[in-house]
Amino acid sequence: MKKNETKGVLDKAAILAFASNAALKVEKIELPEMGGEVYIKELTAGEREALEKQMQSQTDKNAVRATVFVHSVCNADGELMFDVEDIEAIKQLPSRPVIKVFNRSNEINGITPEQVDTAEKNS
């Protein structure tokens, strides 16, 4: 089989079975500025939609990076550690670790700089 060939067309049952059995990526990143490490997670489609909606609502509050941080930092099992009520507190952290989480989360979740720019411009 060639590298770009698929194994077959997925039916509804296969797609739904994948969704219920999918192991989302949880990745540890070092934040030496804060003296340790955190986990960040790959988002489900629903989590991604919620993040994008929240990003748009936070642009006028200068909180896009803090919003991504809140929707990304998790425990080793992929359970989020923060919620939207924590955004203002996250904005008080030094920028370097927040930007590191923001950049890596965007990479593993396929969020492009263009999408971030669009969210920031839609304020």
Side-chain angles (χ1 to χ4, degrees):
M1 184 183 307
K2 292 181 183 177
K3 188 175 182 178
N4 292 336
E5 288 186 60
T6 60
K7 294 182 180 181
V9 176
L10 299 171
D11 63 10
K12 178 180 178 178
I15 291 169
L16 295 177
F18 179 80
S20 64
N21 296 320
L24 296 172
K25 182 178 184 177
V26 175
E27 180 179 303
K28 189 186 306 184
I29 62 170
E30 292 185 37
L31 298 178
E33 307 85 356
M34 297 178 78
E37 304 167 326
V38 296
Y39 290 98
I40 59 172
K41 65 179 283 179
E42 178 181 14
L43 304 175
T44 65
E47 290 168 334
R48 168 84 183 253
E49 294 287 342
L51 170 60
E52 289 173 352
K53 183 176 181 179
Q54 189 70 35
M55 282 173 59
Q56 289 177 346
S57 73
Q58 293 297 324
T59 55
D60 61 334
K61 299 174 187 167
N62 296 315
V64 171
R65 285 163 188 75
T67 300
V68 171
F69 188 100
V70 162
H71 284 267
S72 303
V73 176
C74 61
N75 65 20
D77 295 324
E79 297 167 5
L80 292 175
M81 295 173 56
F82 302 98
D83 56 39
V84 294
E85 288 83 27
D86 297 312
I87 290 173
E88 288 302 314
I90 299 303
K91 285 173 54 177
Q92 303 308 310
L93 293 174
S95 65
R96 190 176 299 170
V98 174
I99 291 170
K100 190 177 289 186
V101 168
F102 173 82
N103 288 339
R104 187 63 192 133
S105 179
N106 287 347
E107 288 174 20
I108 67 173
N109 287 297
I111 299 172
T112 65
E114 293 79 20
Q115 290 170 313
V116 173
D117 288 344
T118 299
E120 289 176 338
K121 289 175 185 173
N122 285 336
S123 59

